[in-house]
Amino acid sequence: MKLGFVGTGEITSAMVTGLSSSDAELHSIRLSPRNLAIATDLANRFPGVSIASSNQDVLDHCDTGVIAVRPHVAQSVLSELRFRSDHRVISVVSALSMRSVSKLVSPATRITRAVPLPSTAKRIGPTAIYPPDPLVDDLFAALGTVFAVETEGEFDAMCAATATLASYYAFIDGVASWLARNGVPEAKARDYVARMFWGLTSTAVDAPERSFQSLASDHATAGGINEQFLGHLVASGLLESVSEGLDAVMQRIKAASRKS
């Protein structure tokens, strides 16, 4: 596959790193010069990765174009480009609906939306795609686990869920900072907390038949400290605010889709 990336930010870097480090068939990858520092670093690290002279040059030398620009510049960038009818297009711009992408990349008609995460660099990322497409599924399967969905509403909800990534890190930073205030050296506190939550995540991944609620119940022994802390979070309304925050993110995504 001849891959071309229009936009060279964090997600492009993660995808190129993951693909170039996997055992899958090597791809020819051409990068936008939009962020020359990232593009140069990737081209220097991996064979088969080259830097185009422009975004149009990216498209002219690929059969699959990955649209990876920031949402607020997507329309202006794409409207200046000439797509071919035989192009396959993968859009990782979360706020750009399928209808909008279709208009901007015409006459290309083979279009897929995807929401890869930074963890694709380590080939452990979950990637939602819409609509299901065998070729795109194979591409992202080399980077982790693919979640092909049947409706754009389901896809947008999964995009909204990715808004919790920064909050996760902020939460575990709160735990590590508390340990540091209680005499644990900062580096040791950070490593301890990271590995504690890594273990919990591994348990959940290895037991797909178990609900998160049932796992929480297993850890919240009656009268124990886990039950006490969970009760504090529930009483403070923190868990309810998670749903409210995601509702707000979903409304933003839907509003952006209507405008695009």
Side-chain angles (χ1 to χ4, degrees):
M1 181 187 297
K2 294 181 179 179
L3 279 172
F5 287 81
V6 176
T8 317
E10 182 181 17
I11 295 303
T12 292
S13 180
M15 287 184 62
V16 172
T17 299
L19 289 170
S20 301
S21 306
S22 72
D23 295 328
E25 180 182 353
L26 288 178
H27 300 279
S28 168
I29 298 175
R30 200 161 181 83
L31 303 177
S32 162
R34 189 173 182 87
N35 188 321
L36 192 56
I38 292 178
T40 300
D41 175 66
L42 293 170
N44 287 339
R45 284 196 290 144
F46 303 116
V49 177
S50 61
I51 305 173
S53 60
S54 65
N55 285 332
Q56 187 59 55
D57 185 38
V58 169
L59 295 179
D60 291 345
H61 292 84
C62 76
D63 50 47
T64 300
V66 181
I67 310 303
V69 295
R70 294 185 181 276
H72 68 281
V73 300
Q75 293 200 46
S76 61
V77 170
L78 297 181
S79 62
E80 296 177 351
L81 302 178
R82 300 182 305 279
F83 289 81
R84 302 191 308 270
S85 59
D86 64 335
H87 267 134
R88 184 182 297 274
V89 177
I90 301 172
S91 171
V92 301
V93 186
S94 61
L96 210 58
S97 68
M98 180 66 76
R99 173 176 55 84
S100 298
V101 177
S102 298
K103 290 180 180 178
L104 291 167
V105 304
S106 179
T109 57
R110 293 180 297 172
I111 303 166
T112 306
R113 294 182 66 192
V115 57
L117 303 179
S119 52
T120 56
K122 296 182 178 295
R123 305 189 303 284
I124 56 173
T127 302
I129 66 170
Y130 169 79
D133 182 286
L135 186 146
V136 178
D137 193 305
D138 288 345
L139 177 68
F140 285 106
L143 299 172
T145 304
V146 181
F147 293 83
V149 301
E150 298 294 337
T151 70
E152 194 159 23
E154 184 181 358
F155 179 85
D156 285 340
M158 296 181 87
C159 285
T162 67
T164 61
L165 298 183
S167 299
Y168 167 77
Y169 284 120
F171 178 81
I172 63 174
D173 177 70
V175 180
S177 296
W178 182 89
L179 281 175
R181 292 195 299 273
N182 281 270
V184 181
E186 287 188 7
K188 184 178 293 184
R190 184 204 178 280
D191 194 34
Y192 177 78
V193 172
R195 292 178 183 278
M196 180 174 70
F197 282 94
W198 181 21
L200 293 176
T201 298
S202 297
T203 297
V205 170
D206 291 341
E209 75 284 357
R210 296 287 305 278
S211 70
F212 291 125
Q213 186 60 53
S214 72
L215 292 171
S217 297
D218 281 355
H219 286 77
T221 304
I225 58 176
N226 269 271
E227 183 188 55
Q228 178 185 348
F229 186 74
L230 177 58
H232 170 76
L233 296 184
V234 172
S236 66
L238 179 63
L239 300 187
E240 184 177 345
S241 70
V242 170
S243 180
E244 294 171 352
L246 286 171
D247 284 343
V249 171
M250 187 65 161
Q251 289 174 7
R252 176 179 174 180
I253 290 175
K254 288 182 177 179
S257 295
R258 288 193 295 269
K259 290 180 181 178
S260 62

